[in-house]
């Protein structure tokens, strides 16, 4: 049974209950293999009915693309803040299944454990696939933080009460920070190391840039670069 079939008919209340149950399986300690490939994961919406997922696998040393996949599926879950993984995970799994190169690490455009129920899309995908994953979000969903120093690589903890749920990371001087959190099978420190390892001269890591380009309306231009 596919995930979209398994989740058919879920109400938001059902989804919240499933999130809480699934969150208990999230691992926030380092359980990574030797990381030779990293993948960017992003989902765009062609219209209100169709989701488009992009996964681009990069060589971890050179950040050059080695594989990619696109998938489309009808959207079967309503837009509810905090429940986006129920809209995005089915189509991402479809794209991951099309890859020839299985990535060692996923960098997802979205939250990891920096989520009210500690199960953003990166954590949810990590549990569903068993792959180590990192949440790389452009905005904050939950938590508070101090100002981030304006220098490359500077970060401050993102806290929800007394719990550190992520980090607010300045990837480049003079740009807005990113919100980084463990997704699954790695620690916050390791998540920060890998995000910075994937950053070149842009605010976003190369994984996110490639996946976002393919998942968006600019997809054809990025596809042409992969040919």
């Amino acid at each position: 049974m596919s995930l979209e079939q398994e989740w058919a008919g879920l109400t938001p209340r059902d989804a919240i209950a499933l999130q809480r149950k699934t969150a208990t399986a999230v691992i926030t300690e380092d359980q990574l293999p030797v990381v030779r490939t990293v993948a960017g994961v992003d989902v765009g919406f062609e219209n209100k009915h169709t989701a488009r997922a992009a996964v681009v696998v990069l060589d971890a040393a050179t950040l050059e693309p080695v594989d990619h996949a696109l998938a489309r599926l009808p959207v079967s879950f309503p837009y509810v803040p905090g429940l986006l993984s129920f809209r995005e995970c089915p189509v991402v799994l479809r794209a991951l299944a099309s890859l020839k190169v299985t990535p060692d690490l996923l960098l997802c455009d979205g939250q990891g454990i920096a989520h009210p129920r500690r199960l953003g899309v990166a954590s949810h995908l990590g549990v569903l696939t068993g792959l180590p994953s990192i949440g790389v979000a452009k905005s904050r969903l939950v938590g508070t933080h101090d100002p981030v120093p304006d220098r490359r690589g500077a970060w401050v903890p993102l806290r929800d009460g007394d719990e550190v749920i992520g980090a607010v990371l300045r990837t480049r001087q003079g740009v807005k920070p990113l919100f980084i959190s463990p997704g699954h099978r790695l620690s916050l420190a390791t998540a920060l190391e890998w995000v910075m390892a994937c950053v070149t001269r842009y605010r976003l890591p190369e994984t996110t840039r490639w996946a976002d380009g393919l998942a968006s309306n600019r997809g054809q231009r990025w596809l042409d670069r992969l040919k």
Side-chain angles (χ1 to χ4, degrees):
M1 180 186 296
S2 66
L3 193 62
E4 55 266 31
Q5 291 171 323
E6 184 179 337
W7 285 355
L10 276 183
T11 66
R13 188 178 205 176
D14 295 333
I16 288 171
L18 182 56
Q19 271 188 335
R20 291 192 170 117
K21 179 180 178 181
T22 306
T24 63
V26 172
I27 297 167
T28 54
E29 298 175 352
D30 290 332
Q31 294 186 4
L32 287 85
V34 175
V35 178
R36 296 187 174 89
T37 55
V38 293
V41 177
D42 192 25
V43 178
F45 293 87
E46 296 183 348
N47 50 56
K48 63 182 180 180
H49 302 296
T50 307
R52 169 180 168 129
V55 181
V56 182
V57 184
L58 308 181
D59 182 289
T62 65
L63 300 181
E64 289 296 317
V66 297
D67 196 9
H68 71 279
L70 284 164
R72 294 176 177 84
L73 277 179
V75 177
S76 58
F77 194 86
Y79 174 79
V80 180
L83 297 178
L84 297 187
S85 62
F86 292 93
R87 290 167 64 84
E88 297 184 358
C89 283
V91 70
V92 173
L93 291 183
R94 182 73 62 92
L96 285 168
S98 301
L99 292 171
K100 298 181 180 68
V101 178
T102 300
D104 297 314
L105 176 63
L106 304 178
L107 277 72
C108 304
D109 182 20
Q111 310 291 345
I113 65 167
H115 180 277
R117 290 170 291 280
R118 307 299 183 258
L119 197 82
V121 64
S123 294
H124 210 156
L125 279 172
V127 172
L128 288 171
T129 63
L131 294 171
S133 60
I134 302 171
V136 183
K138 302 181 191 75
S139 60
R140 178 181 60 87
L141 180 60
V142 67
T144 59
H145 62 90
D146 293 333
V148 187
D150 190 16
R151 65 176 186 275
R152 175 185 165 90
W155 65 275
V156 296
L158 178 67
R159 301 178 185 274
D160 188 10
D162 295 331
E163 183 181 358
V164 174
I165 57 173
V168 191
L169 171 67
R170 187 91 62 187
T171 54
R172 181 182 172 192
Q173 187 175 5
V175 301
K176 293 180 179 179
L178 299 176
F179 293 80
I180 311 302
S181 57
H184 185 51
R185 291 182 55 194
L186 81 176
S187 64
L188 176 59
T190 301
L192 288 166
E193 289 175 9
W194 273 109
V195 171
M196 287 305 300
C198 294
V199 169
T200 57
R201 65 183 187 274
Y202 302 99
R203 177 193 179 211
L204 298 175
E206 289 301 291
T207 44
T208 303
R209 280 170 32 79
W210 275 99
D212 175 73
L214 286 186
S216 71
N217 291 330
R218 297 169 284 118
Q220 188 58 51
R221 176 166 63 85
W222 286 78
L223 273 171
D224 290 343
R225 292 175 61 188
L226 288 167
K227 293 176 181 177

